[in-house]
Amino acid sequence: SFDSTFWSKRIDVVLNALDNMEARLFMDGQCVANQKALIDAGTLGSKGNVQVVVPHQSESYGSSADPPEPAIPVCTLKNFPYSISHTIQWGRDLFDGLFVRRPRQVNKYVGDILEMGLDDFATKLEHELGDQAALEAATEISEDVLVLLEAGKSDETSLKESAIKWAIGLAQQLFHDTIEELLLEHPVDSVDEDGDKFWSGSRKMPTPLTFSSLG
């Protein structure tokens, strides 16, 4: 058991590889109270960190805090990423939207749709979210509810085919259509408001991809 004897007599150093601050601070507190060395390691996106804490020779893990990570502008993530951290954050946001936020959104509202009908539900959504947000949410919900309805009357093969078509369509939208639209707005020889080349510095001109070339 992890009692006082364990901390005082059975260990000399603690190696941390934890996934939350509360657990890190708890372990740090135990090491400070029992005068044990601590090596804490962690990752954040593409970054890594190791901190060595030695009793009476260095500050403890909880004695200081890292400055907050600067927020990445949305326009940089969507249109002008130039570092690996941008692409990681973009991918995480995309995954969260598709497989966390949207399923929760459907689970939250599907009962209202069946009970209230589409017209009353649309009025409720507009009242809760406002015009633009309600329109975006309604578009997502209609797509996702349609998938649920189709899933209820489709066999496994049809569902797999639908999933593949959805994935191809998403790839086409993200890696071809969106980039084509961006390049129409900012062609290769365009300049910014200062007369400098638009695609220069941290702005890297993207290349549209077709689905057959993604592999």
Side-chain angles (χ1 to χ4, degrees), residues 29 46 64 76 86 98 108 111 148 172-173 190 214:
S46 60
S64 61
T76 299
H86 297 162
L98 291 173
K108 177 181 178 181
L148 288 176
Q172 177 75 15
Q173 175 193 345
S190 60
L214 293 179

Side-chain angles (χ1 to χ4, degrees), residues 143-164:
E143 293 174 354
D144 297 337
V145 169
L146 181 61
V147 169
L148 288 176
L149 294 176
E150 290 181 349
K153 57 184 180 182
S154 300
D155 56 31
E156 184 176 350
T157 300
S158 297
L159 287 176
K160 287 182 179 179
E161 291 177 353
S162 297
I164 292 172

Side-chain angles (χ1 to χ4, degrees), residues 47-204:
K47 300 177 181 179
N49 178 73
V50 175
Q51 180 177 347
V52 178
V53 178
V54 180
H56 309 298
Q57 296 187 42
S58 67
E59 66 177 6
S60 67
Y61 176 84
S63 297
S64 61
D66 295 332
E69 287 288 316
I72 305 172
V74 174
C75 62
T76 299
L77 288 180
K78 292 183 65 176
N79 296 327
F80 311 115
Y82 58 87
S83 74
I84 187 64
S85 62
H86 297 162
T87 56
I88 290 173
Q89 186 62 51
W90 178 84
R92 291 179 63 180
D93 290 348
L94 178 66
F95 183 92
D96 182 78
L98 291 173
F99 300 110
V100 179
R101 182 184 59 80
R102 287 182 64 159
R104 286 177 178 172
Q105 182 174 252
V106 171
N107 290 336
K108 177 181 178 181
Y109 289 119
V110 68
D112 291 339
I113 296 173
L114 297 175
E115 180 180 340
M116 302 170 62
L118 292 177
D119 291 340
D120 290 341
F121 173 72
T123 301
K124 173 184 177 179
L125 206 60
E126 185 176 355
H127 178 72
E128 288 184 359
L129 305 178
D131 292 346
Q132 185 59 38
L135 179 61
E136 294 173 357
T139 301
E140 293 178 348
I141 292 170
S142 64
E143 293 174 354
D144 297 337
V145 169
L146 181 61
V147 169
L148 288 176
L149 294 176
E150 290 181 349
K153 57 184 180 182
S154 300
D155 56 31
E156 184 176 350
T157 300
S158 297
L159 287 176
K160 287 182 179 179
E161 291 177 353
S162 297
I164 292 172
K165 289 180 180 178
W166 172 82
I168 292 174
L170 183 63
Q172 177 75 15
Q173 175 193 345
L174 294 175
F175 301 114
H176 183 275
D177 297 351
T178 301
I179 295 174
E180 288 279 16
E181 292 172 4
L182 183 63
L183 293 177
L184 284 174
E185 184 178 356
H186 302 290
V188 61
D189 55 353
S190 60
V191 296
D192 59 21
E193 60 271 14
D194 297 321
D196 298 323
K197 289 185 176 181
F198 185 85
W199 297 109
S200 62
S202 63
R203 292 197 195 106
K204 309 297 183 184

